[in-house]
Amino acid sequence: MPLHIIKLCVGCDTVEELLDWRKPQAAAGHPWILRTRQTPKRAAEVIEGGSLYRVYKGVILSRQLILDVTTVGEGQNARCEMRLDETLVRVAPTPRRAFQGWRYLEAKDAPPDLEGEVADSVPPELARQLREAGVW
């Protein structure tokens, strides 16, 4: 079973905002890199099929496959770079309280992917309410 990472999406309130932010970098041919302070101790497990799950305004809404995790720099200047797949997959809206940094997410606790038209047709707020009511 893959090990995932979950992180708050700071600066974007929706999946669409994140995709809009990414467009110029993608057009320039830059890989999707997430930079963090700490390198995960379990990085080897994460790159074996793990994804980065993003929390937008208290709800997990998307994930991306983690392709590689590297540490750049040394000592106090060391940072982690996670190279992510360009495909952003929408997942069933799942409430999540705020936290700092990132956390590991076991596969059994990860929200399921949304498929096809469902991913595009249900407004995020309605999907969140359905999930909280236990009908989704």
Side-chain angles (χ1 to χ4, degrees), residues 3 9 17 26 30-31 37 41 46 66 77 80 88 108 135:
L3 182 66
C9 190
E17 283 183 35
H30 299 293
R37 289 186 193 172
K41 291 182 181 3
V46 170
I66 299 172
N77 295 324
C80 173
L88 196 129
K108 65 180 176 54
V135 295

Side-chain angles (χ1 to χ4, degrees), residues 31 35 44 50 64 74-75 77 79 87 92 99 123 134:
R35 291 173 179 86
Q64 288 174 277
E74 295 180 16
N77 295 324
R79 297 288 183 260
T87 304
F99 55 91

Side-chain angles (χ1 to χ4, degrees), residues 1-133:
M1 269 203 216
L3 182 66
H4 307 293
I5 288 182
I6 184 169
K7 186 164 177 47
L8 299 180
C9 190
V10 179
C12 295
D13 293 341
T14 65
V15 175
E16 290 74 21
E17 283 183 35
L18 180 62
L19 291 172
D20 287 344
W21 170 84
R22 175 68 184 141
K23 281 180 186 175
Q25 294 146 352
H30 299 293
W32 198 321
I33 302 287
L34 172 72
R35 291 173 179 86
T36 65
R37 289 186 193 172
Q38 302 286 326
T39 300
K41 291 182 181 3
R42 299 172 69 182
E45 293 174 74
V46 170
I47 61 173
E48 292 179 2
S51 290
L52 172 72
Y53 283 79
R54 295 186 193 259
V55 180
Y56 305 79
K57 294 184 76 174
V59 182
I60 303 170
L61 295 176
S62 68
R63 72 172 181 86
Q64 288 174 277
L65 186 64
I66 299 172
L67 302 174
D68 191 29
V69 177
T70 56
T71 301
V72 294
E74 295 180 16
Q76 295 249 344
N77 295 324
R79 297 288 183 260
C80 173
E81 291 186 350
M82 289 185 201
R83 189 167 51 92
L84 305 173
D85 188 85
E86 291 292 327
T87 304
L88 196 129
V89 179
R90 293 172 193 265
V91 299
T94 306
R96 184 69 181 225
R97 292 185 187 178
F99 55 91
Q100 291 185 340
W102 49 264
R103 301 284 183 269
Y104 293 113
L105 180 67
E106 298 290 335
K108 65 180 176 54
D109 299 324
D113 293 351
L114 292 180
E115 300 291 331
E117 290 183 22
V118 174
D120 299 327
S121 65
V122 178
E125 180 62 21
L126 174 60
R128 182 188 63 77
Q129 291 173 357
L130 291 171
R131 182 79 172 169
E132 287 177 357

